[in-house]
Amino acid sequence: MEYLAQGFIKALELLIRGDVSTWSAVLATLKASSWSMGMSLLAGLPCGFILGYFEFPFKRHVRTLVDTLLALPTVCVGLLVYAFISSQGPLGEWKLLFSLPGIAMGQAILAFPIVTAITASIVENIDPDLKLTLVSLGAGKKDIMFTCLWEVRFGIIAAAVTAYGRVLTEVGISMIVGGNIKYHTRTITTAIALETNKGMFADGIALGIVLMAIAFGVNISLSFLRKK
């Protein structure tokens, strides 16, 4: 325990004096996770709403597929993205391998089924009387859809936070697609894995503290939005 305490103290020193490698990993994580969440929300929210709101052929099969994708292993996603954006892949000309946009692409694939599945579940549980009331008041289809989305806004925020948590803590995609390049694509999680393997527990603990701080910040923001 003494060894762990010493590492914790050293971690605080690294953060306070602004260690370049530590804060570089923090910034890389924030950039990649923000971009990936933007992409996954843009694609996942409409898909989740359609899946939960409308009836269409093979809906149950599509829902089963989306639910299955919730358990996507990050290493498999990393391998898939690597195959597409490597120099021999169909997207090799985009030069995304070993870059933050490449990591963001993989993380967006990881977050997409989470946003879609949770949004669909929330929309499916909307009170049927709400729709009937809106129809009786003469609301159009567009108004009904936006009103339903507004009613489940907190659930949608929860879906985004859940997906962000998965993206923030993944290692496989960042390691395979990003390459863990110092000052370039090294994220918090890959840095923790590397520093721990090297026996540099202080650096690992420092990055772990930042990771938890970001997670707490996101949850506090969610609580603040709920109170408003």
Side-chain angles (χ1 to χ4, degrees), residues 25-179:
V26 172
L27 290 176
T29 300
L30 290 176
K31 284 181 183 176
S33 59
S34 299
W35 295 342
S36 63
M37 284 307 302
M39 288 188 278
S40 62
L41 289 174
L42 280 175
L45 288 179
C47 291
F49 185 84
I50 291 169
L51 192 58
Y53 191 82
F54 296 103
E55 296 295 331
F56 53 86
F58 306 110
K59 176 180 176 178
R60 183 177 296 178
H61 298 82
V62 174
R63 185 59 192 270
T64 302
L65 175 63
V66 172
D67 290 343
T68 304
L69 293 177
L70 289 173
L72 266 178
T74 59
V75 177
C76 293
V77 177
L79 283 172
L80 179 68
V81 175
Y82 185 96
F84 271 82
I85 66 176
S86 65
S87 58
Q88 297 179 342
L91 304 180
E93 295 179 355
W94 292 9
K95 307 292 183 186
L96 292 174
L97 190 60
F98 305 137
S99 70
L100 291 179
I103 296 174
M105 180 186 289
Q107 291 179 342
I109 294 172
L110 185 71
F112 172 76
I114 300 173
V115 175
T116 303
I118 296 178
T119 303
S121 297
I122 295 165
V123 172
E124 282 173 349
N125 291 320
I126 291 176
D127 187 354
D129 292 337
L130 172 64
K131 206 182 299 183
L132 291 175
T133 304
L134 291 171
V135 172
S136 65
L137 292 173
K141 289 183 179 179
K142 190 177 177 181
D143 295 327
I144 293 173
M145 287 175 59
F146 279 111
T147 304
C148 290
L149 278 175
W150 180 251
E151 285 298 312
V152 298
R153 60 191 181 280
F154 294 124
I156 291 174
I157 293 174
V161 171
T162 304
Y164 191 71
R166 183 89 196 276
V167 162
L168 200 63
T169 55
E170 68 83 21
V171 181
I173 297 169
S174 300
M175 191 70 81
I176 295 173
V177 178

